[in-house]
Amino acid sequence: MEARSPRGADDILPEEVELWRRVEETVADVMRTYGYREIRTPVFEYTELFQRGVGETTDVVEKQMYTFSDLGGRSLTLRPEGTAPVVRAFLQHKLYGRGLPQNLWYIQPMFRYERPQAGRSRQFHQFGAESLGSLDPLCDVEVISIPLEVYRRLGISGCELLLNSIGCPSCRPRYREELRRFLAGRLEALCPTCRSRYERNPLRVLDCKVDGCRAATEGAPSTLDFLCDECRSHFASVRRLLEVTGIEYRLDSRLVRGLDYYTKTVFEIVTRALGAQDALAGGGRYDGLAEELGGPPTPAVGFGAGMERAVLALKSLAGSAEGDGGVDVYVASVGQSGRETAVALAQKLRAAGFSARLDYREPASGERSLRAQLKAAGKSGARLVVIAGEEELSRGAVTLKSMDDGAQVEVAVERLLAEVEAKLGGERPRTARPVV
Ligand code: HAM
């Protein structure tokens, strides 16, 4: 016998483990500052989960799954991606009964039968997060900002955020028809795979990497021109909140993602540091997946990020290390300008290493009363509550409440970070500032 690991399944040798640890610890720490909790799911699942969840016509399900029968004759599949298993666990254990959204994260091995090359293997690892149960565009923005914050802390610079919205089951059919009409005259120029995609899943033609297909889809209609009112307003809010948070992005109408469950927002984070396999992370909304898997309607959004690719980027762009720790601040707000200030302040606090939580607003029920927000703050165990209310904001200030003794002070917005530092600094181990 030959003493070799199977093709595409790599060992991680001791000198590499140090880099892996650094990424893992950074991920765990960033997740903590966002208030996400870790979940671990089995390495294999019933095959139907991925067929239904990821979609029968996707490359992952059609060509890449490691599927086998166990001795009891059940068809099982090694997990090719993390979202369907997390949603399955959310439904199986009725996590929706524990308050929404449930914000969960993971670092787990995944398995796809692909042609191995630098940054692409058959056993690979993803860190990811899934926010289950809220339609608030703020969840989209948090899910986008988590991997960006991980890369920032690791010193992986030169990341670019690509953003698109692919609509929902009520507006996508019209777009699909329009795209088919556009492609009909160009079928000859498409690769054989895309010719079959034209019938079954025309959106996928847009992200084919074959040169001929790219040229043929130049000038294709954009999903953004076909969004229904709800999807359009959701996307506008996501963009607005990204701007408030100071996150730059590029709209990319070709970005459709390779898995079928996506609705509305989709995104990828790419970097030039990686060469051909340039996607560090990808994700988006999947508002229909829980129902598809037999559960209650549950809007959700998440991302998955390649660990190997983060480690490769780290190697090619010498980065800076950082530590661990944690402190909580709850940021409550009143009105639209209060909320925008709250989002910006939470981002600032997190960047400084404090854990911060915001109040999520559901489009259907709108803003919660300040009283309800303060109750949620109490339940969250926050030490401090920031209240961005309209009255104080008109004076350029917010209210800072200490949950230990209930004392309240008004603080100028630009002084808030210093005030939080004065109140909480040094009491608990906190994230070390990145050295960059
Ligand atoms: P995905 O785009 O298929 O999304 O994978 C996410 C990331 O995993 C990619 O951007 C890449 O960094 C890494 N990756 C994928 N395949 C390989 C491979 N063969 N070798 C090494 N790295 C790889 C998903 O898996 C979705 N579940 C993400 C998500 C979560 N969407 C919503 N929630």
Side-chain angles (χ1 to χ4, degrees), residues 117-422:
Q117 62 182 81
R120 190 163 75 195
S121 43
R122 291 178 175 172
Q123 168 166 335
F124 63 100
H125 300 73
Q126 279 183 355
F127 65 91
E130 314 293 346
S131 174
L132 301 154
S134 176
L135 248 183
D136 191 333
L138 177 56
C139 294
D140 307 40
V141 171
E142 285 194 351
V143 154
I144 291 170
S145 50
I146 289 172
L148 288 171
E149 177 62 10
V150 169
Y151 302 136
R152 189 188 72 80
R153 289 195 194 186
L154 289 170
I156 298 174
S157 52
C159 297
E160 189 179 21
L161 170 64
L162 308 178
L163 188 72
N164 195 17
S165 172
I166 58 169
C168 67
S170 76
C171 53
R172 205 178 309 147
R174 205 161 67 83
Y175 173 71
R176 203 182 283 127
E177 275 324 300
E178 193 61 28
L179 181 61
R180 268 215 188 92
R181 237 195 306 280
F182 174 87
L183 293 174
R186 296 168 169 80
L187 285 180
E188 289 299 303
L190 299 181
C191 71
T193 316
C194 280
R195 258 175 258 151
S196 81
R197 284 172 175 151
Y198 166 79
E199 287 300 334
R200 300 181 306 147
N201 206 340
L203 260 72
R204 202 101 312 130
V205 176
L206 292 177
D207 74 349
C208 181
K209 301 289 181 284
V210 175
D211 286 345
C213 298
R214 288 198 81 83
T217 50
E218 228 19 85
S222 162
T223 48
L224 296 181
D225 295 329
F226 291 82
L227 299 181
C228 59
D229 288 347
E230 190 195 317
C231 289
R232 189 168 329 113
S233 117
H234 184 90
F235 195 53
S237 303
V238 170
R239 294 180 63 179
R240 173 76 192 139
L241 288 172
L242 283 172
E243 277 145 30
V244 169
T245 317
I247 295 177
E248 289 177 15
Y249 61 88
R250 182 159 66 81
L251 288 182
D252 182 354
S253 60
R254 276 180 180 273
L255 185 69
V256 291
R257 308 275 301 136
L259 315 170
D260 274 356
Y261 46 61
Y262 290 112
T263 51
K264 295 194 168 81
T265 318
V266 288
F267 68 94
E268 272 182 15
I269 299 169
V270 296
T271 170
R272 280 174 298 283
L274 286 179
Q277 298 306 313
D278 63 353
L280 279 171
R285 237 179 209 283
Y286 48 94
D287 293 338
L289 180 57
E291 238 178 322
E292 180 66 35
L293 298 178
T298 309
V301 56
F303 79 91
M307 285 289 289
E308 283 77 1
R309 294 185 192 181
V311 169
L312 271 177
L314 205 54
K315 276 197 209 154
S316 72
L317 303 156
S320 57
E322 52 86 55
D324 54 12
V327 169
D328 291 322
V329 181
Y330 200 97
V331 191
S333 60
V334 183
Q336 185 57 18
S337 67
R339 170 157 154 120
E340 291 182 358
T341 305
V343 171
L345 286 175
Q347 190 70 3
K348 209 162 151 190
L349 289 167
R350 288 166 178 159
F354 293 100
S355 63
R357 280 197 52 183
L358 288 152
D359 203 64
Y360 296 106
R361 290 182 190 171
E362 297 310 318
S365 44
E367 183 179 335
R368 293 205 284 180
S369 70
L370 190 56
R371 221 184 124 111
Q373 293 186 51
L374 290 177
K375 214 168 138 196
K379 264 172 84 178
S380 76
R383 307 279 309 279
L384 293 174
V385 180
V386 173
I387 304 166
E390 275 164 335
E391 203 192 313
E392 308 93 289
L393 278 181
S394 67
R395 295 189 287 274
V398 291
T399 300
L400 183 61
K401 178 173 177 172
S402 162
M403 296 300 265
D404 288 346
D405 55 12
Q408 276 187 210
V409 280
E410 202 171 284
V411 181
V413 168
E414 63 274 15
R415 290 264 325 135
L416 180 74
L417 182 57
E419 202 61 37
V420 169
E421 266 171 352

Side-chain angles (χ1 to χ4, degrees), residues 55-123:
E56 296 273 13
T57 60
T58 58
D59 281 356
V60 168
V61 170
E62 275 190 335
K63 304 186 213 155
Q64 299 177 344
M65 295 207 301
Y66 280 91
T67 296
F68 58 97
S69 296
D70 68 5
L71 293 177
R74 283 300 303 250
S75 178
L76 300 171
T77 293
L78 297 185
R79 175 181 51 211
E81 66 96 49
T83 309
V86 168
V87 174
R88 195 261 315 131
F90 170 86
L91 298 176
Q92 180 174 337
H93 305 287
K94 300 195 170 49
L95 299 187
Y96 43 83
R98 300 185 185 179
L100 295 174
Q102 283 286 307
N103 289 340
L104 304 168
W105 70 274
Y106 50 85
I107 300 183
Q108 307 205 109
M110 311 283 162
F111 305 85
R112 293 184 195 175
Y113 188 76
E114 291 198 81
R115 203 161 41 78
Q117 62 182 81
R120 190 163 75 195
S121 43
R122 291 178 175 172
Q123 168 166 335

